[in-house]
C-alpha cells in the first residue's frame, strides 16, 4: 500500500518543488481547517472521525494541477478534486475509508470568458454556476443564459461532469448537452482538449462524473437565448386546499407543457409549492395556465416579471421579494444544514392519487424531509439515452429528490431513517430494473466500489453504476479503461476501468 508516512513525506516534498508553498496546506498548517471547510456544503462530513486529506492544494494555474497528479502517481498518493464542494456525500474532500489522499481545490481557478457574439463561453471548473449565469447575462444584456442547476454556489466542475439540470432543462436539456470542448488533466499529468482526450472520454465527462477520468480544468459551453424579461411564479397549495389533486394532475401536465414553461413542485409538510419560470411575459403565460392547468388557480397576482438570472434566485430562495442579480456572485450563500438526500425517476405511469395522499402522510411524520419534483419532457427527453452518459430521458415524467435536514448537535439518525423508509415505500411507484437515480444527487446507500487487485471491480460497480447510468455504465467503464486503466482517480463511486482482452 502506498500510503505510508514515508511516501506522504516524499509526496509533500515533490509538491513543494513545483508549487508555491502558500498554495499547499498540510494538516499542520494553521489555515488547513479553514481552507478545508470553506467549500464544505454538508457539515456531516467535517465531524470528528471524518477521514480528511493529508494536504489541500489550491492551484492558480494548470501546471500546479499537473504537478499534483504527477507527484501523487510517483509517490502513490491519490488525488480527489473539489470544485464547489456540493457533493452530497462529501467525496470531493473526504474518504469513507482511512487513506492518505490529497485534495486539489479549484476555487482559485474560476475565470469565465463569454463570447456574446458567438454565444459561447469558456468557464473554469472552480467557477460557480452563479458566476457563469451572471457573466453570460452581463455580456449579453440579459439575453444569454445556460441550462444548469438552481443553487448559485454549485461548482461548475462537479455539476457539469455529472449532468446538471434546472429551470431550462425542458427547453435546452442538461448542462452536459451543451458542451463544446473541455480541458482535462489525465492520470499521466497530460493536458488534453476534446480532440486529444478522444471521443469516448469526451463523451464520458458529459454526465459520467469527472472524477473518474481526471481533473477537468475548464469547459467550453454553448450559451442559450432567453428573453430579457421572463415571468416567475410561486403558488403554494395546502392539502386542505387540494394539494393531493393538484399534484396528481401536475404529473401529466408538467412534462407536457410547452418547453418555455417549467413548473416544478416542492412538497413539504402539508404543502405542495409550485415554482415556475416561463420564458415570456405574464400576459402570454396566463391563458396558457388557465387552459392547461386551471386546477392550480394561478393568476396575475402571482406573476413576477424579472430577468432570467433573477428568476433563478427567486425560485431557489423560494419566496419573498425578487433578489438582486449580484447575489449570483455570492460564493458563500448560507447552506449550513446537515442533510441526507437521494433520488428517483417516475417513468410512463404517474403515481396515483391515493399514493400521493399517503406520501403527504410521510411528510407529516416526525422529523420529515421534503421532496422536489422536476418535470421532464421537452428537450431533455428527446436526446437519445446514449448521446451522453445521462440516461434518464424519453419516458421520464419527472425526477424526485428527497432531502432531509437537521441541525448541529443532532445525530440525524431519525432523519436519515425517514429518507430510507420513504425510499423503500416508493419502490413500486418509480422506475424499476434498474431503479434509476441521478448521479449528481449522490447517495452511497446505492452501493460502493469494491477494490479487487488494486482496481475497482467492474462487476461490483454495476450495483450503483447501472442505477445512475443504465446501459451507459459499460461504455463509461471502457472509457475509464482507456484513460486511467490503473484506476488512479478513484473514489467510493468512481467508474471502474474495463480493459478489453486483446
Ligand atoms: P464537488 O466539488 O463536491 O464535486 C462533486 C464531485 O465531482 C466529486 O466527486 C468531485 O471529485 C468531482 N469533481 C469536482 N470538480 C471536478 C473537476 N474539475 N474535474 C473532475 N471531477 C470533479 N444538481 C442539479 O443538477 N440541479 C440542481 O438544481 C442542483 N441543486 C443543488 C443544490 C444544492 C444546495 C446542492 C448541495 C446540490 C445541488 N445539486 C443540483 C447537485 C450538484 O449538481 C452536485 O452536488 C454537483 O456534483 C456539485 O458540484 P461541485 O463542484 O459543487 O461539487
Amino acid at each position: 500500500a502506498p500510503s505510508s508516512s514515508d511516501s506522504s513525506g516524499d509526496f509533500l516534498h515533490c509538491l513543494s518543488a513545483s508549487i508555491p508553498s502558500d498554495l499547499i496546506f498540510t494538516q499542520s498548517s494553521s489555515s488547513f481547517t479553514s481552507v478545508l471547510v470553506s467549500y464544505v456544503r454538508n457539515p456531516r462530513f467535517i465531524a470528528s472521525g471524518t477521514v480528511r486529506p493529508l494536504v489541500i492544494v489550491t492551484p492558480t494555474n494548470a501546471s500546479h494541477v499537473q504537478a499534483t497528479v504527477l507527484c501523487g502517481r510517483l509517490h502513490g498518493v491519490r488525488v480527489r478534486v473539489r470544485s464547489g464542494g456540493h457533493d452530497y456525500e462529501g467525496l470531493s474532500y473526504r474518504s469513507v475509508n482511512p487513506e492518505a489522499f490529497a485534495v486539489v481545490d479549484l476555487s482559485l481557478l474560476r475565470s469565465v470568458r463569454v463570447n456574446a457574439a458567438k454565444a459561447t463561453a469558456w468557464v473554469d471548473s472552480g467557477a460557480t454556476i452563479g458566476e457563469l449565469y451572471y457573466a453570460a447575462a452581463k455580456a449579453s444584456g440579459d439575453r444569454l443564459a445556460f441550462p444548469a442547476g438552481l443553487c448559485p454556489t454549485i461548482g461548475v466542475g462537479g455539476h457539469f461532469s455529472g449532468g446538471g439540470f434546472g429551470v431550462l432543462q425542458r427547453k435546452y436539456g442538461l448542462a452536459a448537452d451543451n458542451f463544446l470542448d473541455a480541458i482535462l488533466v489525465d492520470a499521466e499529468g497530460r493536458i488534453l482538449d476534446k480532440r486529444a482526450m478522444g471521443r469516448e472520454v469526451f463523451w464520458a465527462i458529459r454526465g459520467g462524473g469527472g472524477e473518474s477520468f481526471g481533473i477537468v480544468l475548464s469547459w467550453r459551453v454553448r450559451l442559450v437565448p432567453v428573453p430579457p424579461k421572463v415571468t416567475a411564479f410561486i403558488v403554494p397549495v395546502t392539502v386542505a386546499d387540494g394539494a393531493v389533486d393538484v399534484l396528481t394532475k401536475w404529473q401529466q401536465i408538467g412534462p407536457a407543457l410547452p418547453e418555455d414553461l417549467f413548473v416544478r413542485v416542492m412538497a413539504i409538510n402539508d404543502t405542495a409549492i409550485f415554482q415556475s419560470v416561463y420564458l415570456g411575459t405574464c400576459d402570454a403565460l396566463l391563458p396558457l395556465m388557465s387552459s392547461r392547468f386551471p386546477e392550480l388557480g394561478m393568476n396575475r397576482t402571482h406573476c413576477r416579471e424579472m430577468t432570467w438570472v433573477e428568476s433563478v434566485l427567486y425560485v431557489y430562495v423560494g419566496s419573498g421579494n425578487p433578489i438582486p442579480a449580484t447575489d449570483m456572485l455570492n460564493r458563500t450563500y448560507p447552506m449550513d444544514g446537515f442533510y441526507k438526500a437521494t433520488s428517483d425517476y417516475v417513468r410512463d405511469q404517474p403515481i396515483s392519487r391515493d399514493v400521493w395522499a399517503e406520501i403527504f402522510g410521510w411528510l407529516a411524520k416526525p422529523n420529515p424531509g421534503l421532496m422536489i419534483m422536476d418535470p421532464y419532457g421537452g428537450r431533455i427527453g428527446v436526446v437519445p439515452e446514449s448521446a451522453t452518459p445521462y440516461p434518464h430521458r424519453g419516458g421520464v415524467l419527472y425526477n424526485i429528490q428527497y432531502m432531509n435536514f437537521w441541525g448541529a448537535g443532532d445525530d440525524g439518525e431519525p432523519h436519515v431513517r425517514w429518507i430510507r423508509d420513504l425510499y423503500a415505500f416508493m419502490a413500486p411507484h418509480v422506475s424499476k430494473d434498474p431503479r434509476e437515480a441521478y448521479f449528481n444527487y449522490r447517495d452511497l446507500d446505492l452501493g460502493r466500489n469494491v477494490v479487487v487487485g488494486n482496481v475497482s471491480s467492474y462487476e461490483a460497480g454495476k450495483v450503483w453504476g447501472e442505477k445512475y447510468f443504465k446501459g451507459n455504465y459499460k461504455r463509461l467503464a471502457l472509457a475509464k479503461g482507456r484513460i486511467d486503466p490503473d484506476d488512479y482517480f478513484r473514489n467510493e463511486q468512481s467508474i471502474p476501468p474495463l480493459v478489453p482482452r486483446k
Side-chain angles (χ1 to χ4, degrees), residues 311-488:
S311 78
V312 172
L313 284 168
Y314 184 72
V315 171
Y316 177 64
V317 175
S319 64
N321 295 322
I323 297 157
T326 46
D327 271 33
M328 276 290 175
L329 302 177
N330 184 350
R331 293 177 68 86
T332 55
Y333 232 78
M335 175 72 204
D336 299 331
F338 295 58
Y339 65 91
K340 165 84 188 164
T342 195
S343 62
D344 262 319
Y345 287 85
V346 175
R347 271 188 181 273
D348 307 316
Q349 275 301 322
I351 295 176
S352 73
R353 187 192 182 283
D354 292 352
V355 173
W356 275 112
E358 281 189 74
I359 293 171
F360 275 101
W362 283 86
L363 295 166
K365 286 184 185 220
N367 304 304
L370 55 85
M371 292 166 65
I372 298 173
M373 276 69 67
D374 279 310
Y376 272 54
R379 179 75 198 148
I380 197 168
V382 298
V383 174
E385 273 189 23
S386 61
T388 72
Y390 184 93
H392 322 289
R393 302 280 193 172
V396 171
L397 298 178
Y398 55 96
N399 170 272
I400 303 179
Q401 174 170 211
Y402 312 85
M403 294 192 105
N404 201 329
F405 290 86
W406 61 94
D410 182 335
D411 71 1
E413 196 278 332
H415 306 80
V416 172
R417 189 155 26 89
W418 180 91
I419 289 235
R420 290 180 179 150
D421 291 348
L422 176 57
Y423 188 74
F425 167 82
M426 292 297 288
H429 312 298
V430 295
S431 64
K432 296 173 197 57
D433 304 320
R435 183 169 180 180
E436 296 166 53
Y438 178 28
F439 179 72
N440 263 342
Y441 295 160
R442 192 194 305 280
D443 178 8
L444 290 180
D445 289 356
L446 302 179
R448 294 176 198 188
N449 278 332
V450 176
V451 175
V452 179
N454 205 23
V455 176
S456 308
S457 154
Y458 169 73
E459 284 300 322
K462 282 182 178 170
V463 173
W464 58 266
E466 292 184 347
K467 294 188 172 87
Y468 291 140
F469 304 115
K470 297 181 69 183
N472 291 329
Y473 172 69
K474 183 172 187 186
R475 186 168 165 198
L476 283 168
L478 288 165
K480 167 77 170 179
R482 276 170 194 252
I483 190 116
D484 183 21
D486 300 335
D487 201 23
Y488 175 65

Side-chain angles (χ1 to χ4, degrees), residues 75-345:
H75 299 291
V77 176
R78 287 182 201 285
V79 168
R80 293 186 183 225
V81 52
R82 179 167 77 175
S83 289
H86 285 53
D87 193 90
Y88 283 3
E89 297 280 5
L91 299 190
S92 51
Y93 53 84
R94 66 125 187 174
S95 167
V96 172
N97 295 317
E99 168 182 20
F101 66 99
V103 165
V104 169
D105 175 306
L106 295 177
S107 56
L108 298 180
L109 284 175
R110 57 169 193 252
S111 87
V112 181
R113 300 171 297 278
V114 174
N115 183 330
K118 287 196 170 150
T120 60
W122 270 107
V123 50
D124 290 346
S125 284
T128 63
I129 56 173
E131 288 167 340
L132 172 61
Y133 295 165
Y134 186 85
K138 191 143 198 258
S140 65
D142 292 308
R143 285 166 195 277
L144 288 174
F146 188 67
L150 212 51
C151 165
T153 56
I154 296 173
V156 159
H159 186 62
F160 280 17
S161 60
F165 62 68
V167 300
L168 292 176
Q169 67 190 32
R170 305 193 62 252
K171 175 99 174 173
Y172 297 114
L174 299 175
D177 297 332
N178 292 281
F179 299 156
L180 302 169
D181 203 343
I183 304 293
L184 175 83
V185 174
D186 75 356
E188 307 296 328
R190 294 175 299 191
I191 294 187
L192 308 174
D193 68 1
K194 168 176 152 178
R195 185 180 303 174
M197 76 181 81
R199 203 177 79 124
E200 290 305 297
V201 175
F202 185 61
W203 174 85
I205 60 171
R206 283 178 283 161
E211 69 259 31
S212 306
F213 305 96
I215 298 179
V216 185
L217 296 178
S218 37
W219 309 78
R220 183 161 179 258
V221 301
R222 183 189 308 118
L223 300 173
V224 299
V226 288
K229 282 273 182 263
V230 305
T231 306
F233 70 79
I234 298 177
V235 178
V237 184
T238 62
V239 171
D241 286 340
V244 171
D245 287 320
V246 183
L247 189 43
T248 303
K249 188 78 196 284
W250 170 86
Q251 297 175 100
Q252 279 161 329
I253 313 263
L257 287 168
E259 295 177 2
D260 285 339
L261 180 51
F262 171 90
V263 183
R264 73 170 199 166
V265 192
M266 181 187 292
I268 180 166
N269 302 317
D270 70 340
T271 308
I273 306 170
F274 293 82
Q275 304 170 324
S276 174
V277 176
Y278 174 60
L279 301 177
T281 60
C282 179
D283 283 343
L285 173 62
L286 289 174
L288 193 57
M289 289 302 290
S290 59
S291 69
R292 300 293 294 274
F293 198 13
E295 297 81 356
L296 183 59
M298 185 265 169
N299 62 50
R300 186 174 294 278
T301 65
H302 299 118
C303 282
R304 299 281 182 282
E305 290 186 345
M306 57 184 84
T307 65
W308 181 80
V309 166
E310 288 165 344
S311 78
V312 172
L313 284 168
Y314 184 72
V315 171
Y316 177 64
V317 175
S319 64
N321 295 322
I323 297 157
T326 46
D327 271 33
M328 276 290 175
L329 302 177
N330 184 350
R331 293 177 68 86
T332 55
Y333 232 78
M335 175 72 204
D336 299 331
F338 295 58
Y339 65 91
K340 165 84 188 164
T342 195
S343 62
D344 262 319
Y345 287 85

